[in-house]
Amino acid sequence: MKETAINSIRYLFEPGSIAVIGASKDPAKIGHSIVRNILAGGYRGKVYPVNKSGGEILGLRVYGDISEISGTVDAASIAIPAKFAVEAVRSCAKKGVKHAQIITSGFSETGNIGEEKEILSIAREANMRILGPNIFGLYSSSSSLNATFSASKIVPGRVAILTQSGALGVAMIGKTAINNIGLSAIVSLGNKADLDESDLLEYLIGHEETRVVLMYIEGVKNGERLLETLRRTTEKKPVVVIKSGRSKRGAMAAASHTGSLAGSDAIFDAVMKQCGVLRAENITEAFNWCKFLAFSPKPGAGRAVIVTNGGGIGVMATDACEKYGIDLFDDQAELKRIFEPATPSFGSTKNPIDITGGATSADYRLALTAPSESAGLASTIALYCETATFDSENLAPMIQETYKKHMAAGKPITYAIVGGESVEKAIEILKKDNIPVHGDVYEAVSSLASIYRHKKYLDEKDTRIDEAELDIKLIDKIIEGAINEKRNFLLSNEGSRVMEAMGIGVPKSRTARTMDEAVKYAMEIGYPVVLKIVSRDILHKSDAGGIALNLDRDGEVAEAFEAIMHNARSYKPDAKIDGIEVCEMVRPGVEIIIGARRDPSFGPVVMCGLGGIYVEIMKDITFRELPVNRDIALAMLKEIRSYALLLGARGGAKKDIEGVVDTLIRVGTAITRCSRITDIEINPITVYDQGKGIRAVDARVMISNMKGEKQ
Amino acid sequence: MKETAINSIRYLFEPGSIAVIGASKDPAKIGHSIVRNILAGGYRGKVYPVNKSGGEILGLRVYGDISEISGTVDAASIAIPAKFAVEAVRSCAKKGVKHAQIITSGFSETGNIGEEKEILSIAREANMRILGPNIFGLYSSSSSLNATFSASKIVPGRVAILTQSGALGVAMIGKTAINNIGLSAIVSLGNKADLDESDLLEYLIGHEETRVVLMYIEGVKNGERLLETLRRTTEKKPVVVIKSGRSKRGAMAAASHTGSLAGSDAIFDAVMKQCGVLRAENITEAFNWCKFLAFSPKPGAGRAVIVTNGGGIGVMATDACEKYGIDLFDDQAELKRIFEPATPSFGSTKNPIDITGGATSADYRLALTAPSESAGLASTIALYCETATFDSENLAPMIQETYKKHMAAGKPITYAIVGGESVEKAIEILKKDNIPVHGDVYEAVSSLASIYRHKKYLDEKDTRIDEAELDIKLIDKIIEGAINEKRNFLLSNEGSRVMEAMGIGVPKSRTARTMDEAVKYAMEIGYPVVLKIVSRDILHKSDAGGIALNLDRDGEVAEAFEAIMHNARSYKPDAKIDGIEVCEMVRPGVEIIIGARRDPSFGPVVMCGLGGIYVEIMKDITFRELPVNRDIALAMLKEIRSYALLLGARGGAKKDIEGVVDTLIRVGTAITRCSRITDIEINPITVYDQGKGIRAVDARVMISNMKGEKQ
């Protein structure tokens, strides 16, 4: 089944023949540009212009209708007004076209959903796939096919771009050319009526020419499939993503622009990281990373070294390494051994290595050859400030030579060279060789960091799944009860019972109907206790005087029972009172939050963070797509700043981290297995000292009557 | 006095004559380059090469010694080996030179502190000022003086650069030329033996040609003076600063490179903001800001509008506006009125205004003229994605025209244009006109944001000072006592007494010597109470069993008193026990931290943030240089994320913000007035509901025997 899908998608990138429906003699028309670009691009398959006016275009016979073509037609590019598009799709289906690219706009993006649906249903019936509508087309280096209407010349190379924005896509083609970023493919996704990022990634995973994939995304429809596909892709090659709509206002603007649900940016960010995808903030950053990733080897074990002729930019690069997470080599004695021959006495062999402003190209050659030959050093950050003493005609050759040595040794190197004309000239020359030279220190370091992040992901990748044993039958029964009462949430005591069924510790508690019962239960639970009114008619218990804290004697419990009953009756005389809950008084501990929800794009996700009143304020939380395992759960804890509290900040004892990990696994299992749970939020969970466990103090569970697909 | 200083510093930038000591006939020598550059730069004053070998250099007579020159010599550039430099400085002093620029390196930066001190003392005696040593020289557009050894051609303009790094400075000269950033001055500061940033700013404040100042700083010596000078500078013109050593490792690298104390980066960041200085992360960002600030008018009242032909980059710009703090215009009806004529029906007149991919230069002209003529719109972000339909030959002219209209209307505009060759060409043309065109959306928005940040600073600037009445005599007495005991810290009960003397609420407390006293004090203070051992021999009270919490009856107090005494005696039999402190049990509230310290660079600073165990973990803290006033204190609170807790997060009541502001002022006054206090840290301060005050639960005060300069 999957094999067929890949075969099928191959026809999109490598069709043996392509029809251009709406081919035009008028050079100003899109239908003309496409034919012209296909021919100019050197496409080796057959090209069939189709237009009912017939005749010839650029020396090719124009067919009045696709049905008139005698051979098979693998792909069709449709560039006719929207009102004729449905008919064209129908004729393509009839002809047995495998892939129709619908350039035409004016469908769902302008509210015309009906015709888009019709197109899709025609295609489905004929087993034909649709790219678009509302796209600029597609370029594929493997078949030298430039079926775009925008760019007459595309340089083939190693980077594949998938873009949801047409305008930005066209602009990016131009920008890749200027930046000497060769393309293996660029595909405009448009409205994604049928084919989406996942379908195209299936082809790119095995596409040898593609070394890096760059995606521009505005909204995700089938997120779970995308993540699954991305996981397989990043295993083979790095993927960089730009997603606009990071900010609140940006997300609103994105929603109004694409009509797509932007979703939570924090979750997008987390799941992309989880799939090993590198998220860039802007185009410049994304291009820098892609260029670097396309040509640099993965670093081996070992750390990075900075070589500079200026102390100031050395310090800057050190700052940038910390920002982007590059570890610097630290063994002073080893550094001295390696770099002393290249460093004058008033320089420094500490990392950054400062070969001083007097350094010439020969000094640089020496200093930058050393790391390529030294086992402990895995990568190099080379910095150069233009100086009056440097033999600038040798700048580019020195970089070419030291770059080659690094490549031969399988070590990445990134250069930042700062200065005027001579530097600018060197950058021009070196860019043509795809050598990573940057005019800015931060850019250079950020590029190197991209390959480290991909390596780290692959090194640490761990697909093992941990699940917990839950009493699913009991959970289902509790949910059933709430659904029968037409509720989409569980009451507080139901929430506690679900926690127990999930094997998560809750404060001991029993609901007393009489004063005597309350005293009896309090003794059983152990003092001190808390009393709380139980009534679905009283939501704000405190306002109703329905809570009494810190009761530590029988007499206090009896008094409090009477008082709460009295308060509740005066607060809301007609309230149905189920009783009074007698609870264990929770001792203080570290308060965290653990939750899970079904993300509309990406499916079930789990989260944890600093709990209590700090959740919204500190936003010290982290997400993961499910399933996870214990190591990933622990990694989540290590990501939040408040992890220090669990380790025992300010001299406190280490907390029960194992208990928190266990709870994360249980919550993850619950939302995965119980398809009617839409949301679990336990806040706070009080965490005690190591071995002393946790208490889920307050658990909110949201439910839905709809059975999810998974069970 | 100050007037004289400014007059004197003017001789550095605008000398009537300059001697070059170490002038050489050898073109490879620095002493040759300086003479050549001075001549090539068109300097209109007199140039006197000095070299004992005599003869002629580049047509100028070479003097054997500076004393042989008959006229006055305002400035001297000294470019001879370090070992001869002291003698040269002496001869300059004798000749009455006003400013000596010591190019030569090999002084304090390599550990040769003695000769640097000697040079300084010679200069001081003769009322001569020293620039450097260890510099590349100086360029000043006002006198067409290029007294650098590095750059033969510098383009005059509006940006003045002060740089502590020579290598980076030289590289920046080249980079400014490439980026068409004209310079009004560039000064290499080197070791700052005498002249530092403050001295040079004194000149630049009144220097009309200088519209923006860019500083590259590695370490600050006299920070308080620098801040005072920067305040006066930013009042007149924007100042951009790059300071490397942001990260921990970077700060270490900076310290080893410059020998300067890097200081706390958080404090540097805070005080720069407080002076209205814009801190850039890297050179690219700094240059973008400087270019924009040099040529754009300040925005008036009103908000920004985004105009785009691509939805995707419109969303990106919206994200960037949120990141950089630019408010977008929101009145939908007004936007529709303004932009409807320029927007097709399938576009959008919501901000971002989407004039769609079909827009031509004429459409852009219309859409970008509108904001220049509309009162509510204060600034414009113009975005363009290269399209197949755009008449690209008109891109640059359209931008020139709409830029001019904005300039005429006194409104800033920033452009981001993304694409290939046609875009690149346009950027080349437009850069020559100093029009702010960028290849990246984030860069464009960040540039506009720099001028908004400067405007906001000027709008909100508030130099009023609030001080509190403190019982300074009592504080001094307590400190005196501690100093007599050779302590550099106050004991906990002394700290509480100092708080009281500062007018800051502390938990009620008395030290009891007997059990009866303890019970009596507990009744006076009011239950519940806490008992704590008082002994300077027992530092960790809890470990010694020296604390009893939540005592709410006489009997409990009596029991606890006995228990604590017993525990303390078994813990440390020879401990001197002063008694047992009976304290008010502090009710729970929002816990914050307030502190003050003397920063080694910038003098007294005050801080506040989220307190308790969260201080180090969340780092939700903010700093200000003192003095401050109540409004600034309130602004500090608003800056921290936990301000939401004080406003009453999650349905809680509003807290006593006025009490916190008052405490900040009191702590600020204390460190300013009491010169022997080096450090105050009150953590936690428990804040109660509005009107209910605060309690300084734990106050640590560090002291020093040294009287500060201020009293």
PDB file of all heavy atoms in Angstrom, chain A residues 19-26 29-35 48-52 57 62-64 77-81 88:
ATOM      1  N   ALA A  19       0.940  17.401 -19.407  1.00  0.00           N
ATOM      2  CA  ALA A  19       0.061  18.246 -20.225  1.00  0.00           C
ATOM      3  C   ALA A  19      -0.104  19.585 -19.530  1.00  0.00           C
ATOM      4  O   ALA A  19      -0.159  19.635 -18.305  1.00  0.00           O
ATOM      5  CB  ALA A  19      -1.306  17.585 -20.376  1.00  0.00           C
ATOM      6  N   VAL A  20      -0.131  20.659 -20.312  1.00  0.00           N
ATOM      7  CA  VAL A  20      -0.379  21.979 -19.724  1.00  0.00           C
ATOM      8  C   VAL A  20      -1.725  22.457 -20.222  1.00  0.00           C
ATOM      9  O   VAL A  20      -1.868  22.830 -21.404  1.00  0.00           O
ATOM     10  CB  VAL A  20       0.727  22.978 -20.098  1.00  0.00           C
ATOM     11  CG1 VAL A  20       0.446  24.341 -19.466  1.00  0.00           C
ATOM     12  CG2 VAL A  20       2.090  22.450 -19.646  1.00  0.00           C
ATOM     13  N   ILE A  21      -2.704  22.393 -19.345  1.00  0.00           N
ATOM     14  CA  ILE A  21      -4.068  22.732 -19.758  1.00  0.00           C
ATOM     15  C   ILE A  21      -4.282  24.218 -19.532  1.00  0.00           C
ATOM     16  O   ILE A  21      -4.120  24.723 -18.417  1.00  0.00           O
ATOM     17  CB  ILE A  21      -5.086  21.871 -18.981  1.00  0.00           C
ATOM     18  CG1 ILE A  21      -4.786  20.395 -19.308  1.00  0.00           C
ATOM     19  CG2 ILE A  21      -6.508  22.253 -19.332  1.00  0.00           C
ATOM     20  CD1 ILE A  21      -5.624  19.415 -18.566  1.00  0.00           C
ATOM     21  N   GLY A  22      -4.582  24.917 -20.628  1.00  0.00           N
ATOM     22  CA  GLY A  22      -4.639  26.370 -20.586  1.00  0.00           C
ATOM     23  C   GLY A  22      -3.358  26.974 -21.142  1.00  0.00           C
ATOM     24  O   GLY A  22      -3.072  28.141 -20.927  1.00  0.00           O
ATOM     25  N   ALA A  23      -2.594  26.151 -21.867  1.00  0.00           N
ATOM     26  CA  ALA A  23      -1.382  26.647 -22.529  1.00  0.00           C
ATOM     27  C   ALA A  23      -1.778  27.779 -23.464  1.00  0.00           C
ATOM     28  O   ALA A  23      -2.782  27.689 -24.165  1.00  0.00           O
ATOM     29  CB  ALA A  23      -0.718  25.514 -23.299  1.00  0.00           C
ATOM     30  N   SER A  24      -0.990  28.848 -23.442  1.00  0.00           N
ATOM     31  CA  SER A  24      -1.405  30.027 -24.204  1.00  0.00           C
ATOM     32  C   SER A  24      -0.270  30.558 -25.063  1.00  0.00           C
ATOM     33  O   SER A  24       0.904  30.408 -24.745  1.00  0.00           O
ATOM     34  CB  SER A  24      -1.877  31.107 -23.227  1.00  0.00           C
ATOM     35  OG  SER A  24      -1.984  32.345 -23.867  1.00  0.00           O
ATOM     36  N   LYS A  25      -0.681  31.193 -26.174  1.00  0.00           N
ATOM     37  CA  LYS A  25       0.332  31.822 -27.034  1.00  0.00           C
ATOM     38  C   LYS A  25       0.755  33.173 -26.499  1.00  0.00           C
ATOM     39  O   LYS A  25       1.768  33.726 -26.908  1.00  0.00           O
ATOM     40  CB  LYS A  25      -0.252  31.994 -28.448  1.00  0.00           C
ATOM     41  CG  LYS A  25      -0.252  30.695 -29.215  1.00  0.00           C
ATOM     42  CD  LYS A  25      -0.972  30.834 -30.537  1.00  0.00           C
ATOM     43  CE  LYS A  25      -1.289  29.457 -31.065  1.00  0.00           C
ATOM     44  NZ  LYS A  25      -2.638  29.353 -31.630  1.00  0.00           N
ATOM     45  N   ASP A  26      -0.054  33.726 -25.616  1.00  0.00           N
ATOM     46  CA  ASP A  26       0.199  35.066 -25.080  1.00  0.00           C
ATOM     47  C   ASP A  26       1.263  35.006 -23.984  1.00  0.00           C
ATOM     48  O   ASP A  26       1.046  34.453 -22.916  1.00  0.00           O
ATOM     49  CB  ASP A  26      -1.126  35.610 -24.520  1.00  0.00           C
ATOM     50  CG  ASP A  26      -0.955  36.997 -23.913  1.00  0.00           C
ATOM     51  OD1 ASP A  26       0.198  37.493 -23.847  1.00  0.00           O
ATOM     52  OD2 ASP A  26      -1.974  37.580 -23.504  1.00  0.00           O
ATOM     53  N   LYS A  29       0.521  35.412 -20.321  1.00  0.00           N
ATOM     54  CA  LYS A  29      -0.365  34.491 -19.604  1.00  0.00           C
ATOM     55  C   LYS A  29       0.427  33.410 -18.863  1.00  0.00           C
ATOM     56  O   LYS A  29       1.459  32.927 -19.332  1.00  0.00           O
ATOM     57  CB  LYS A  29      -1.311  33.808 -20.622  1.00  0.00           C
ATOM     58  CG  LYS A  29      -2.383  34.735 -21.185  1.00  0.00           C
ATOM     59  CD  LYS A  29      -3.662  34.686 -20.342  1.00  0.00           C
ATOM     60  CE  LYS A  29      -4.663  35.754 -20.720  1.00  0.00           C
ATOM     61  NZ  LYS A  29      -5.331  35.493 -21.997  1.00  0.00           N
ATOM     62  N   ILE A  30      -0.103  33.015 -17.722  1.00  0.00           N
ATOM     63  CA  ILE A  30       0.506  31.947 -16.918  1.00  0.00           C
ATOM     64  C   ILE A  30       0.654  30.670 -17.739  1.00  0.00           C
ATOM     65  O   ILE A  30       1.676  29.978 -17.686  1.00  0.00           O
ATOM     66  CB  ILE A  30      -0.353  31.702 -15.654  1.00  0.00           C
ATOM     67  CG1 ILE A  30      -0.102  32.824 -14.645  1.00  0.00           C
ATOM     68  CG2 ILE A  30      -0.071  30.346 -15.040  1.00  0.00           C
ATOM     69  CD1 ILE A  30      -0.960  32.746 -13.394  1.00  0.00           C
ATOM     70  N   GLY A  31      -0.401  30.379 -18.540  1.00  0.00           N
ATOM     71  CA  GLY A  31      -0.400  29.168 -19.358  1.00  0.00           C
ATOM     72  C   GLY A  31       0.710  29.153 -20.411  1.00  0.00           C
ATOM     73  O   GLY A  31       1.091  28.097 -20.924  1.00  0.00           O
ATOM     74  N   HIS A  32       1.224  30.296 -20.718  1.00  0.00           N
ATOM     75  CA  HIS A  32       2.375  30.383 -21.622  1.00  0.00           C
ATOM     76  C   HIS A  32       3.675  30.170 -20.828  1.00  0.00           C
ATOM     77  O   HIS A  32       4.550  29.402 -21.244  1.00  0.00           O
ATOM     78  CB  HIS A  32       2.407  31.741 -22.316  1.00  0.00           C
ATOM     79  CG  HIS A  32       3.546  31.897 -23.279  1.00  0.00           C
ATOM     80  ND1 HIS A  32       3.468  31.513 -24.596  1.00  0.00           N
ATOM     81  CD2 HIS A  32       4.804  32.363 -23.097  1.00  0.00           C
ATOM     82  CE1 HIS A  32       4.617  31.745 -25.195  1.00  0.00           C
ATOM     83  NE2 HIS A  32       5.451  32.267 -24.299  1.00  0.00           N
ATOM     84  N   SER A  33       3.748  30.861 -19.698  1.00  0.00           N
ATOM     85  CA  SER A  33       4.979  30.792 -18.893  1.00  0.00           C
ATOM     86  C   SER A  33       5.312  29.366 -18.504  1.00  0.00           C
ATOM     87  O   SER A  33       6.482  28.963 -18.508  1.00  0.00           O
ATOM     88  CB  SER A  33       4.823  31.610 -17.609  1.00  0.00           C
ATOM     89  OG  SER A  33       4.411  32.917 -17.906  1.00  0.00           O
ATOM     90  N   ILE A  34       4.291  28.589 -18.185  1.00  0.00           N
ATOM     91  CA  ILE A  34       4.566  27.222 -17.746  1.00  0.00           C
ATOM     92  C   ILE A  34       5.209  26.403 -18.870  1.00  0.00           C
ATOM     93  O   ILE A  34       6.232  25.749 -18.666  1.00  0.00           O
ATOM     94  CB  ILE A  34       3.270  26.552 -17.224  1.00  0.00           C
ATOM     95  CG1 ILE A  34       2.812  27.273 -15.943  1.00  0.00           C
ATOM     96  CG2 ILE A  34       3.491  25.063 -16.939  1.00  0.00           C
ATOM     97  CD1 ILE A  34       1.466  26.822 -15.427  1.00  0.00           C
ATOM     98  N   VAL A  35       4.620  26.495 -20.068  1.00  0.00           N
ATOM     99  CA  VAL A  35       5.201  25.762 -21.203  1.00  0.00           C
ATOM    100  C   VAL A  35       6.631  26.240 -21.456  1.00  0.00           C
ATOM    101  O   VAL A  35       7.560  25.442 -21.619  1.00  0.00           O
ATOM    102  CB  VAL A  35       4.340  25.956 -22.469  1.00  0.00           C
ATOM    103  CG1 VAL A  35       4.988  25.247 -23.659  1.00  0.00           C
ATOM    104  CG2 VAL A  35       2.919  25.453 -22.245  1.00  0.00           C
ATOM    105  N   TYR A  48       2.741  18.318 -23.567  1.00  0.00           N
ATOM    106  CA  TYR A  48       1.536  18.460 -24.395  1.00  0.00           C
ATOM    107  C   TYR A  48       0.759  19.719 -24.011  1.00  0.00           C
ATOM    108  O   TYR A  48      -0.033  19.698 -23.068  1.00  0.00           O
ATOM    109  CB  TYR A  48       0.599  17.254 -24.201  1.00  0.00           C
ATOM    110  CG  TYR A  48       1.222  15.907 -24.495  1.00  0.00           C
ATOM    111  CD1 TYR A  48       1.421  14.985 -23.470  1.00  0.00           C
ATOM    112  CD2 TYR A  48       1.558  15.542 -25.805  1.00  0.00           C
ATOM    113  CE1 TYR A  48       1.952  13.736 -23.727  1.00  0.00           C
ATOM    114  CE2 TYR A  48       2.101  14.281 -26.061  1.00  0.00           C
ATOM    115  CZ  TYR A  48       2.302  13.383 -25.027  1.00  0.00           C
ATOM    116  OH  TYR A  48       2.832  12.149 -25.285  1.00  0.00           O
ATOM    117  N   PRO A  49       0.952  20.810 -24.752  1.00  0.00           N
ATOM    118  CA  PRO A  49       0.115  21.978 -24.492  1.00  0.00           C
ATOM    119  C   PRO A  49      -1.326  21.656 -24.887  1.00  0.00           C
ATOM    120  O   PRO A  49      -1.549  21.002 -25.917  1.00  0.00           O
ATOM    121  CB  PRO A  49       0.693  23.054 -25.401  1.00  0.00           C
ATOM    122  CG  PRO A  49       2.046  22.555 -25.806  1.00  0.00           C
ATOM    123  CD  PRO A  49       1.936  21.056 -25.810  1.00  0.00           C
ATOM    124  N   VAL A  50      -2.285  22.081 -24.083  1.00  0.00           N
ATOM    125  CA  VAL A  50      -3.695  21.838 -24.379  1.00  0.00           C
ATOM    126  C   VAL A  50      -4.439  23.162 -24.337  1.00  0.00           C
ATOM    127  O   VAL A  50      -4.317  23.915 -23.371  1.00  0.00           O
ATOM    128  CB  VAL A  50      -4.328  20.860 -23.357  1.00  0.00           C
ATOM    129  CG1 VAL A  50      -5.812  20.663 -23.655  1.00  0.00           C
ATOM    130  CG2 VAL A  50      -3.592  19.518 -23.351  1.00  0.00           C
ATOM    131  N   ASN A  51      -5.146  23.460 -25.421  1.00  0.00           N
ATOM    132  CA  ASN A  51      -5.970  24.681 -25.463  1.00  0.00           C
ATOM    133  C   ASN A  51      -6.951  24.490 -26.609  1.00  0.00           C
ATOM    134  O   ASN A  51      -6.538  24.100 -27.713  1.00  0.00           O
ATOM    135  CB  ASN A  51      -5.078  25.912 -25.721  1.00  0.00           C
ATOM    136  CG  ASN A  51      -5.855  27.206 -25.487  1.00  0.00           C
ATOM    137  OD1 ASN A  51      -7.018  27.321 -25.885  1.00  0.00           O
ATOM    138  ND2 ASN A  51      -5.208  28.155 -24.827  1.00  0.00           N
ATOM    139  N   LYS A  52      -8.224  24.770 -26.373  1.00  0.00           N
ATOM    140  CA  LYS A  52      -9.185  24.432 -27.433  1.00  0.00           C
ATOM    141  C   LYS A  52      -8.967  25.250 -28.704  1.00  0.00           C
ATOM    142  O   LYS A  52      -9.389  24.864 -29.787  1.00  0.00           O
ATOM    143  CB  LYS A  52     -10.636  24.515 -26.947  1.00  0.00           C
ATOM    144  CG  LYS A  52     -11.086  25.831 -26.367  1.00  0.00           C
ATOM    145  CD  LYS A  52     -12.610  25.756 -26.108  1.00  0.00           C
ATOM    146  CE  LYS A  52     -13.186  27.047 -25.614  1.00  0.00           C
ATOM    147  NZ  LYS A  52     -12.882  27.330 -24.195  1.00  0.00           N
ATOM    148  N   ILE A  57       2.507  26.276 -29.872  1.00  0.00           N
ATOM    149  CA  ILE A  57       3.139  27.164 -28.890  1.00  0.00           C
ATOM    150  C   ILE A  57       4.595  26.768 -28.765  1.00  0.00           C
ATOM    151  O   ILE A  57       4.907  25.606 -28.510  1.00  0.00           O
ATOM    152  CB  ILE A  57       2.464  27.056 -27.512  1.00  0.00           C
ATOM    153  CG1 ILE A  57       1.028  27.573 -27.569  1.00  0.00           C
ATOM    154  CG2 ILE A  57       3.250  27.847 -26.466  1.00  0.00           C
ATOM    155  CD1 ILE A  57       0.268  27.432 -26.279  1.00  0.00           C
ATOM    156  N   VAL A  62      -0.433  22.170 -30.182  1.00  0.00           N
ATOM    157  CA  VAL A  62      -1.401  22.376 -29.117  1.00  0.00           C
ATOM    158  C   VAL A  62      -2.603  21.476 -29.354  1.00  0.00           C
ATOM    159  O   VAL A  62      -3.201  21.495 -30.433  1.00  0.00           O
ATOM    160  CB  VAL A  62      -1.847  23.854 -29.050  1.00  0.00           C
ATOM    161  CG1 VAL A  62      -2.916  24.040 -27.978  1.00  0.00           C
ATOM    162  CG2 VAL A  62      -0.654  24.768 -28.789  1.00  0.00           C
ATOM    163  N   TYR A  63      -2.943  20.663 -28.337  1.00  0.00           N
ATOM    164  CA  TYR A  63      -4.107  19.776 -28.438  1.00  0.00           C
ATOM    165  C   TYR A  63      -5.353  20.526 -27.998  1.00  0.00           C
ATOM    166  O   TYR A  63      -5.327  21.294 -27.041  1.00  0.00           O
ATOM    167  CB  TYR A  63      -3.914  18.541 -27.559  1.00  0.00           C
ATOM    168  CG  TYR A  63      -2.778  17.668 -28.042  1.00  0.00           C
ATOM    169  CD1 TYR A  63      -1.454  17.968 -27.724  1.00  0.00           C
ATOM    170  CD2 TYR A  63      -3.043  16.550 -28.857  1.00  0.00           C
ATOM    171  CE1 TYR A  63      -0.405  17.200 -28.198  1.00  0.00           C
ATOM    172  CE2 TYR A  63      -1.996  15.761 -29.332  1.00  0.00           C
ATOM    173  CZ  TYR A  63      -0.676  16.097 -28.992  1.00  0.00           C
ATOM    174  OH  TYR A  63       0.351  15.333 -29.457  1.00  0.00           O
ATOM    175  N   GLY A  64      -6.456  20.293 -28.726  1.00  0.00           N
ATOM    176  CA  GLY A  64      -7.718  20.947 -28.383  1.00  0.00           C
ATOM    177  C   GLY A  64      -8.273  20.426 -27.067  1.00  0.00           C
ATOM    178  O   GLY A  64      -8.920  21.161 -26.317  1.00  0.00           O
ATOM    179  N   SER A  77      -0.696  20.135 -15.670  1.00  0.00           N
ATOM    180  CA  SER A  77      -0.693  21.416 -14.978  1.00  0.00           C
ATOM    181  C   SER A  77      -1.895  22.188 -15.481  1.00  0.00           C
ATOM    182  O   SER A  77      -2.027  22.419 -16.690  1.00  0.00           O
ATOM    183  CB  SER A  77       0.609  22.146 -15.301  1.00  0.00           C
ATOM    184  OG  SER A  77       0.570  23.453 -14.793  1.00  0.00           O
ATOM    185  N   ILE A  78      -2.784  22.562 -14.579  1.00  0.00           N
ATOM    186  CA  ILE A  78      -4.040  23.199 -14.993  1.00  0.00           C
ATOM    187  C   ILE A  78      -3.987  24.680 -14.666  1.00  0.00           C
ATOM    188  O   ILE A  78      -3.891  25.070 -13.497  1.00  0.00           O
ATOM    189  CB  ILE A  78      -5.238  22.519 -14.294  1.00  0.00           C
ATOM    190  CG1 ILE A  78      -5.279  21.028 -14.676  1.00  0.00           C
ATOM    191  CG2 ILE A  78      -6.541  23.228 -14.637  1.00  0.00           C
ATOM    192  CD1 ILE A  78      -6.373  20.234 -13.988  1.00  0.00           C
ATOM    193  N   ALA A  79      -4.018  25.501 -15.727  1.00  0.00           N
ATOM    194  CA  ALA A  79      -3.876  26.949 -15.536  1.00  0.00           C
ATOM    195  C   ALA A  79      -4.964  27.677 -16.306  1.00  0.00           C
ATOM    196  O   ALA A  79      -4.700  28.439 -17.231  1.00  0.00           O
ATOM    197  CB  ALA A  79      -2.483  27.399 -15.995  1.00  0.00           C
ATOM    198  N   ILE A  80      -6.212  27.372 -15.933  1.00  0.00           N
ATOM    199  CA  ILE A  80      -7.347  28.036 -16.578  1.00  0.00           C
ATOM    200  C   ILE A  80      -8.240  28.613 -15.497  1.00  0.00           C
ATOM    201  O   ILE A  80      -8.132  28.218 -14.339  1.00  0.00           O
ATOM    202  CB  ILE A  80      -8.155  27.035 -17.448  1.00  0.00           C
ATOM    203  CG1 ILE A  80      -8.519  25.813 -16.601  1.00  0.00           C
ATOM    204  CG2 ILE A  80      -7.368  26.621 -18.677  1.00  0.00           C
ATOM    205  CD1 ILE A  80      -9.394  24.822 -17.331  1.00  0.00           C
ATOM    206  N   PRO A  81      -9.085  29.577 -15.823  1.00  0.00           N
ATOM    207  CA  PRO A  81      -9.930  30.195 -14.795  1.00  0.00           C
ATOM    208  C   PRO A  81     -10.711  29.154 -13.982  1.00  0.00           C
ATOM    209  O   PRO A  81     -11.061  28.083 -14.474  1.00  0.00           O
ATOM    210  CB  PRO A  81     -10.879  31.086 -15.592  1.00  0.00           C
ATOM    211  CG  PRO A  81     -10.093  31.418 -16.828  1.00  0.00           C
ATOM    212  CD  PRO A  81      -9.276  30.202 -17.130  1.00  0.00           C
ATOM    213  N   ALA A  88     -11.872  20.616 -16.478  1.00  0.00           N
ATOM    214  CA  ALA A  88     -10.517  20.193 -16.858  1.00  0.00           C
ATOM    215  C   ALA A  88     -10.067  19.013 -16.006  1.00  0.00           C
ATOM    216  O   ALA A  88      -9.462  18.055 -16.506  1.00  0.00           O
ATOM    217  CB  ALA A  88      -9.539  21.367 -16.704  1.00  0.00           C
TER     218      ALA A  88
END
